[in-house]
Amino acid sequence: MSTTVSAPVVSIAYHSGYGHTAVVAEAVREGAAATGATVHLIKVDAITDAEWELLDGSDAIVFGSPTYMGTASGAFHVFAEATSKRWFGDVWQDKIAAGFTNSASKAGDKLNTLQYFQMLASQHGMSWVNLGLKPGWNSTAGTEFDLNRLGFSSGAAAQTNSDEGPEGVHKADIATAEHLGRRVAEHARVVLAGRAALAASGA
């Protein structure tokens, strides 16, 4: 018995202080859209009621923020606290989740931000999608243009020099973010297909 599965809807809920993280968010969008997914970019510091509804109707939500002082930005924390209204009603239960971040330092405590996103997703009962890439740039044969050049596993991490504007976001980090977008959309498609198959079989 064949089933028709609609294209997944992916929303990217992010904050960008100076434009660098917005570049990464756009790369995630491009990666997801390349799979045929419908993708929404949502700035959490200017979120509207209609955009909250877009998040509620999404199959996957990707969280993004710069890493400031070892965690996500204050603007993202305000958004995360506001999601408690969704938590009470299990509105985001079983959605796909993922995350990305950017900072000026190569490491810069970005792992704390990604883990913060993971915890937020877990509190909502969401299913976390990791980056799914081996570390790059960790051997004499590697280069700074390797995918996942910074060696993170839980999400996409980018590094941009503090004295450069958004145009300075590294091309390898953009490509890594595109990979994350594709991976999230593909996982969402598998989940939707599985649910449709179960519904068709009466299981």
Side-chain angles (χ1 to χ4, degrees):
M1 179 182 297
S2 63
T3 58
T4 301
V5 179
S6 59
V9 178
V10 178
S11 285
I12 301 163
Y14 76 99
H15 173 245
S16 182
Y18 300 96
H20 307 89
T21 308
V23 172
V24 183
E26 174 60 25
V28 175
R29 186 202 68 77
E30 289 184 5
T35 71
T38 299
V39 189
H40 305 294
L41 277 174
I42 297 173
K43 298 179 180 180
V44 300
D45 54 334
I47 191 168
T48 65
D49 288 343
E51 288 172 328
W52 278 112
E53 291 179 5
L54 287 176
L55 291 175
D56 296 344
S58 296
D59 301 300
I61 301 175
V62 185
F63 302 124
S65 166
T67 294
Y68 292 155
M69 303 306 293
T71 187
S73 65
F76 190 92
H77 276 268
V78 170
F79 161 77
E81 185 173 331
T83 69
S84 62
K85 296 179 180 179
R86 270 69 191 166
W87 175 83
F88 277 110
D90 293 327
V91 177
W92 293 357
Q93 181 84 23
D94 295 327
K95 292 184 186 296
I96 298 293
F100 62 91
T101 187
N102 176 82
S103 72
S105 298
K106 296 295 189 295
D109 296 320
K110 286 189 275 282
L111 179 59
N112 287 344
T113 300
L114 293 172
Q115 289 177 328
Y116 171 71
F117 293 155
Q118 285 180 298
M119 182 57 67
L120 176 63
S122 295
Q123 288 189 332
H124 281 284
M126 304 170 80
S127 298
W128 186 262
V129 173
N130 58 47
L131 186 58
L133 287 173
K134 296 291 193 299
W137 201 21
N138 63 356
S139 72
T140 55
T143 77
E144 65 175 294
F145 294 99
D146 291 344
L147 284 178
N148 195 23
R149 69 185 181 112
L150 300 178
F152 285 79
S153 299
S154 51
Q159 179 270 333
T160 312
N161 293 331
S162 60
D163 56 352
E164 289 187 291
E167 71 284 351
V169 178
H170 201 285
K171 293 186 184 303
D173 297 340
I174 291 173
T176 300
E178 290 174 349
H179 169 86
L180 178 66
R182 288 192 299 272
R183 183 167 167 81
V184 168
E186 289 164 356
H187 270 66
R189 190 182 302 277
V190 168
V191 170
L192 290 176
R195 289 174 181 165
L198 285 172
S201 68

